[in-house]
Amino acid sequence: MNDFASLGLVEPLLRAVSDAGYTQPTPVQLKAIPLVLAGGDLLAGAQTGTGKTAGFTLPILQRLSANAAPRRVPGRPRCLVLTPTRELAAQVEESVRTYGRYLTLDSMVMFGGVNIKPQIDRLRRPVDILVATPGRLLDHYGQRTLDLSGIEILVLDEADRMLDMGFIRDIRKILALLPKHRQNLLFSATFSNEIRALADGLLHKPGSVDVAPRNATSDLVEQSVHLVEQNHKRDLLSHLIRHNDWRQVLVFTRTKHGANRLAEKLIRDGIAAAAIHGNKSQSARTQALAGFKDGSLPVLVATDIAARGLDIDQLPRVVNFELPHVPEDYVHRIGRTGRAGSTGAAVSLVDAEEIKLLKGIERLIRREITRVDVEGFVPPVRIVENSARDTGGRDARRGSGPARSTAGDTAGRDSRSPRRSAPRRGNGNNAAGQARPGGPRRDGQPASLFTAPKPGSTRGRG
Ligand code: AMP
């Protein structure tokens, strides 16, 4: 017996959950499962790694099996899950199979970039749950191989990412093809005005689940900022990768050109790296991604758009070589790390011009990001002061200030160091960063890299 039973799930689902090794529902599951079982619409703020997939899949399976279809028509699904990427689609359908293994429902996944013929063949048999990316779904509809008139439940998974990827028109087209009476579930990690507008038009008196505060970043991700001049960024990144022996790091740049130049520089420095962006051929992208996943390519440099199409979540570390112009993109970027059960690190290299962007991000995620100095890359005073200034109001309200820590020799700067920062759960940094006063850490590593500093081994300054 596990705690999923108290949520009202039936025995075949409990057995499947138990097979998967889950003993406790995650917070999003605790809230979403009863709401979805009751048949209501749902607006859920939950990012990948929270267990959201089981949060909607389990109750959907139960509802569909409880209310058997009058007759099963080939190519006429009862539930449609839309996802932004093929990887997510495949993952969700896998979950449907896993959790539905003791039920008799059929599922199918469809996405673009692959031959459509096998999908058409599959649609000649009954499908209860269809997991699809928007473009390919519309292709099928256009070819009349798919009948959407039987949809009882619609899920928009990672809705924010779908909008970011430009799917809004496709989504609206698809919505127009669905029966009016249906249950709607919308999952999104962030809530822009556009998402709110979509939700307003789609959902009827939705129950809401908000496991991550809106636009919050996961507590499992240790975030830090290195203040550095633009023309030192590439050297700093090479240094960090080599010095800390980073084996798998996704680096974000703002432009394709910047991605190429950075990858070239890293290669010149003896670090295996590849840039991945829209100008690269599909095969170059696939090859780079495969190398990145199997560990032979430690560094992948990507633009936001290119990265969105990649199934590379659960990373130990992402680096923002440049901050994104849109603060929500920061949340997306670092959401690739620190998934359920594992911690991750997000490191941002920030120059004087980006301080404004940094402040915007900190406002959005409602926390200050720890500034960390790296030995040999001491930021100019004007950046440091500019970065610390004007957070005062918020700090006073919160009773904490931006933390500053160092791994290097910052003698003479202590007096400028802002006040001690309150510890933040899961941030991985202790109260004021991990600096020992007056010198580098014994192991000489930048403090930001430590997810679990030994208590008492370091002391805050300020
Ligand atoms: P998701 O956020 O849906 O991508 O799920 C993230 C990971 O958490 C997946 O690998 C799931 O298998 C796992 N997971 C989901 N629910 C639970 C649970 N209740 N207990 C432990 N792991 C879970």
Side-chain angles (χ1 to χ4, degrees):
M1 165 91 175
N2 64 42
D3 286 2
F4 282 92
S6 61
L7 298 177
L9 292 174
V10 293
E11 194 278 334
L13 292 171
L14 294 178
R15 217 176 339 143
V17 161
S18 168
D19 287 355
Y22 308 163
T23 51
Q24 295 291 327
T26 65
V28 68
Q29 291 162 2
L30 272 176
K31 293 186 187 159
I33 290 173
L35 280 168
V36 179
L37 280 179
D41 281 5
L42 177 71
L43 178 62
Q47 57 199 54
T48 294
T50 55
K52 68 182 166 65
T53 314
F56 63 79
T57 306
L58 289 167
I60 286 175
L61 285 164
Q62 179 152 333
R63 281 181 64 75
L64 294 181
S65 63
N67 315 310
R71 68 193 169 93
R72 299 175 88 216
V73 182
R76 187 169 184 267
R78 301 171 61 196
C79 170
L80 171 63
V81 182
L82 287 177
T83 76
T85 63
R86 61 161 98 176
E87 290 84 3
L88 184 63
Q91 225 168 286
V92 169
E93 204 247 350
E94 182 72 41
S95 296
V96 170
R97 285 171 191 270
T98 303
Y99 305 134
R101 60 194 293 191
Y102 300 115
L103 298 172
T104 53
L105 296 165
D106 288 304
S107 61
M108 164 180 185
V109 61
M110 63 167 61
F111 46 69
V114 296
N115 190 350
I116 198 167
K117 182 79 172 36
Q119 297 174 356
I120 293 174
D121 290 344
R122 172 65 188 85
L123 285 168
R124 297 204 172 99
R125 287 181 285 127
V127 178
D128 297 293
I129 299 175
L130 173 63
V131 187
T133 53
R136 180 53 67 91
L137 183 98
L138 285 171
D139 288 347
H140 277 284
Y141 191 83
Q143 297 196 24
R144 298 171 188 272
T145 48
L146 176 66
D147 176 356
L148 293 173
S149 68
I151 297 294
E152 298 162 35
I153 307 174
L154 169 74
V155 182
L156 298 186
D157 194 13
E158 301 202 354
D160 48 352
R161 250 172 116 189
M162 285 202 274
L163 298 197
D164 285 344
M165 291 174 74
F167 284 136
I168 186 66
R169 286 180 57 194
D170 284 351
I171 290 172
R172 294 213 180 278
K173 270 188 223 161
I174 293 165
L175 293 180
L177 302 173
L178 303 179
K180 285 223 159 41
H181 289 289
R182 52 167 207 268
Q183 185 176 15
N184 300 290
L185 319 177
L186 186 151
F187 286 77
S188 189
T190 59
F191 285 84
S192 60
N193 290 338
E194 215 182 352
I195 289 283
R196 277 178 231 281
L198 177 66
D200 284 348
L202 178 73
L203 306 173
H204 306 284
K205 298 188 181 157
S208 81
V209 169
D210 208 353
V211 291
R214 303 259 155 117
N215 295 325
T217 47
S218 164
D219 274 350
L220 291 169
V221 183
E222 176 203 341
Q223 303 173 56
S224 60
V225 160
H226 299 308
L227 299 170
V228 59
E229 287 192 287
Q230 181 62 37
N231 56 0
H232 291 160
K233 280 189 177 183
R234 282 188 260 163
D235 284 334
L236 173 57
L237 182 60
S238 276
H239 168 80
L240 289 171
I241 293 169
R242 268 202 307 245
H243 188 79
N244 303 297
D245 194 21
W246 287 349
R247 303 275 172 96
Q248 197 185 38
V249 51
L250 177 62
V251 182
F252 286 95
T253 60
R254 235 180 262 144
T255 65
K256 296 174 197 174
H257 185 58
N260 282 337
R261 284 201 318 174
L262 179 57
E264 283 160 17
K265 151 80 178 166
L266 293 172
I267 291 165
R268 275 201 306 279
D269 286 350
I271 296 166
I276 200 159
H277 52 65
N279 290 1
K280 299 265 168 174
S281 70
Q282 183 61 42
S283 72
R285 290 162 57 112
T286 308
Q287 201 187 342
L289 185 60
F292 188 63
K293 284 181 168 178
D294 73 21
S296 56
L297 183 75
V299 184
L300 204 56
V301 188
T303 56
D304 288 283
I305 295 290
R308 266 175 210 139
L310 303 176
D311 171 34
I312 36 177
D313 290 331
Q314 274 179 307
L315 288 172
R317 179 168 286 100
V318 299
V319 169
N320 297 304
F321 188 77
E322 284 139 351
L323 289 180
H325 282 299
V326 181
E328 280 85 0
D329 282 349
Y330 176 86
V331 180
H332 283 302
R333 289 179 178 186
I334 80 165
R336 297 211 173 242
T337 171
R339 287 166 54 113
S342 64
T343 50
V347 176
S348 300
L349 311 190
V350 177
D351 73 5
E353 268 63 62
E354 295 171 294
I355 298 293
K356 257 208 204 110
L357 299 174
L358 177 62
K359 301 275 172 66
I361 288 165
E362 291 182 324
R363 265 193 300 280
L364 178 77
I365 65 174
R366 293 198 209 96
R367 63 162 83 173
E368 289 96 37
I369 306 172
T370 310
R371 275 62 160 166
V372 176
D373 294 342
V374 179
E375 193 171 4
F377 292 87
V378 174
V381 171
R382 68 192 164 87
I383 311 188
V384 178
E385 293 192 334
N386 194 12
S387 145
R389 207 186 303 139
D390 100 9
T391 52
R394 266 181 311 141
D395 300 339
R397 278 202 308 280
R398 297 163 46 98
S400 70
R404 190 166 187 83
S405 55
T406 181
D409 175 16
T410 54
R413 263 222 312 256
D414 289 9
S415 59
R416 273 206 322 278
S417 293
R419 288 141 295 160
R420 176 177 296 237
S421 173
R424 285 175 199 110
R425 192 165 64 83
N427 191 353
N429 290 317
N430 63 4
Q434 302 84 349
R436 289 191 302 128
R441 293 180 61 101
R442 222 162 297 140
D443 41 27
Q445 293 208 28
S448 62
L449 309 173
F450 289 77
T451 50
K454 283 195 197 83
S457 65
T458 58
R459 270 198 294 140
R461 302 180 301 158

